[in-house]
Amino acid sequence: MKRKGIILAGGNGTRLHPLTLSTSKQLLPIYDKPMIYYPLSTLMLGGIKDILIISKPNDENSFKKLLGDGENFGINISYKIQPKPEGIAQAFLLAESFLDNSPSVLILGDNLFHGDSLVSLLSEADKEFKGASIFAYAVKDPERYGVIEFNEDGIANNIIEKPKNPKSSYAITGIYFYDNTVVNKVKTIKPSERGELEITDINRIYLDEKGLKVKQLGRGITWLDTGTFDALYEASGYIRALEQRQGLKIGCPEEIAWRKGWINNEKLKEIASNSIKSGYGSYLLKLIKE
């Protein structure tokens, strides 16, 4: 059974007020593209073609206007409203009918991944249909994240949510691959002290069942959590620097769809015609000529 994708684009974006008082965080720009293009592109690079976007009630129409039903990207996009943000794991309860007992991959709408080996890592995780696969990344401030601890053999043996004294510098990133038991697992956990269904509790269940695989993202991969002013600025600078240097776009779902053969030349030309003045359309047309 094919894996289905979920982009969690809900929440109130309070760390980005006043920018997010009137719009979704995931619709803010990271250089030349809306933030949500980057997690969407990550799922597409992993071969995921059935994707559910979970958003706040007021934001759903904006996402639909931007992304439609996924036709421009050769994929299927569905939508679900999150009435009230109650934790990352809540996404699986909201997505239960969409998943229909399929394995899944959840990505947070404000997470940006980039790197040469990313596609192979995603493909490797996608092939695992039993248990869970998560990705760890070394950070200088692990106390802000869920942290993976390892034993002497390098095997994950504990997960601590925002530890005061971290024993590891490896943070859990915002992309999670799960088998088709995840919905039932979420139904067994209780809200934490902050009233949320914690994704850490789900990962702990898989860890206790010896079904959790932890893949470390090395120096060749960049992971950015773009949920603060500084991180948003840093991400935009990172994308701009690479695109200006290489002449290639990062997080461009139209290009990914075209290169994968999910859309043809004529469709790409049609999409490009709406964005010529910004230069985005000219870039898409240049792909065909090359």
Side-chain angles (χ1 to χ4, degrees):
M1 187 175 287
K2 289 186 177 180
R3 191 179 302 272
K4 294 183 178 181
I6 304 167
I7 300 176
L8 183 55
N12 295 316
T14 51
R15 290 185 298 168
L16 286 169
H17 281 181
L19 293 179
T20 49
L21 287 174
S22 62
T23 190
S24 167
K25 169 174 62 176
Q26 290 80 13
L27 292 171
L28 295 176
I30 293 183
Y31 185 44
D32 57 351
K33 291 172 288 294
M35 185 188 293
I36 198 169
Y37 269 35
Y38 297 91
L40 176 64
S41 294
T42 299
L43 292 184
M44 292 173 64
L45 286 170
I48 306 298
K49 296 187 72 174
D50 288 304
I51 296 171
L52 177 71
I53 294 175
I54 297 176
S55 70
K56 293 187 299 181
N58 293 343
D59 298 327
E60 185 178 39
N61 286 337
S62 296
F63 284 112
K64 286 182 176 178
K65 185 177 181 181
L66 176 68
L67 304 171
D69 61 3
E71 180 190 0
N72 283 351
F73 313 127
I75 60 177
N76 302 307
I77 296 179
S78 304
Y79 298 87
K80 187 77 176 185
I81 287 175
Q82 182 185 41
K84 180 183 176 184
E86 295 178 337
I88 295 173
Q90 182 196 22
F92 293 101
L93 300 182
L94 296 171
E96 183 174 10
S97 61
F98 165 77
L99 293 176
D100 193 24
N101 208 38
S102 297
S104 59
V105 50
L106 168 68
I107 187 168
L108 303 185
D110 61 359
N111 273 221
L112 187 158
F113 295 86
H114 176 253
D116 285 343
S117 60
L118 180 62
V119 174
S120 60
L121 284 169
L122 294 172
S123 298
E124 185 182 318
D126 185 46
K127 293 174 184 175
E128 301 285 349
F129 287 102
K130 289 189 68 177
S133 294
I134 60 175
F135 297 86
Y137 192 85
V139 296
K140 67 178 182 180
D141 50 356
E143 63 277 359
R144 291 180 51 218
Y145 303 93
V147 171
I148 287 277
E149 295 180 357
F150 301 91
N151 63 21
E152 294 177 353
D153 298 319
I155 305 297
N157 63 1
N158 199 9
I159 302 173
I160 305 294
E161 183 65 25
K162 295 184 174 128
K164 292 182 179 179
N165 299 296
K167 295 181 180 179
S168 161
S169 63
Y170 280 92
I172 300 171
T173 67
I175 185 167
Y176 317 85
F177 285 77
Y178 295 119
D179 61 19
N180 62 358
T181 69
V182 67
V183 173
N184 287 334
K185 284 179 168 62
V186 175
K187 290 178 179 179
T188 68
I189 66 173
K190 295 179 180 179
S192 63
E193 291 182 358
R194 58 179 184 168
E196 296 189 357
L197 296 173
E198 305 287 357
I199 200 70
T200 294
D201 290 339
I202 300 303
N203 290 330
R204 282 200 191 105
I205 292 174
Y206 280 104
L207 182 64
D208 291 343
E209 293 178 350
K210 302 190 184 307
L212 182 70
K213 297 176 181 65
V214 180
K215 303 174 189 297
Q216 294 184 13
L217 301 180
R219 293 190 177 192
I221 291 182
T222 296
W223 168 57
L224 298 173
D225 171 359
T226 59
T228 66
F229 295 117
D230 286 340
L232 199 62
Y233 181 80
E234 178 186 356
S236 290
Y238 173 80
I239 296 297
R240 182 183 183 277
L242 287 178
E243 292 190 355
Q244 293 285 340
R245 179 72 173 173
Q246 300 176 335
L248 301 171
K249 290 208 175 293
I250 296 166
C252 178
E254 298 91 347
E255 179 179 1
I256 295 168
W258 178 75
R259 292 193 182 279
K260 284 183 171 291
W262 296 350
I263 61 174
N264 57 25
N265 287 355
E266 292 306 310
K267 186 64 177 178
L268 193 62
K269 287 179 183 177
E270 177 190 328
I271 298 166
S273 67
N274 295 319
S275 303
I276 294 295
K277 287 187 177 180
S278 71
Y280 194 86
S282 300
Y283 173 80
L284 298 179
L285 291 176
K286 191 170 115 179
L287 295 173
I288 299 172
K289 294 175 183 176
E290 290 177 351

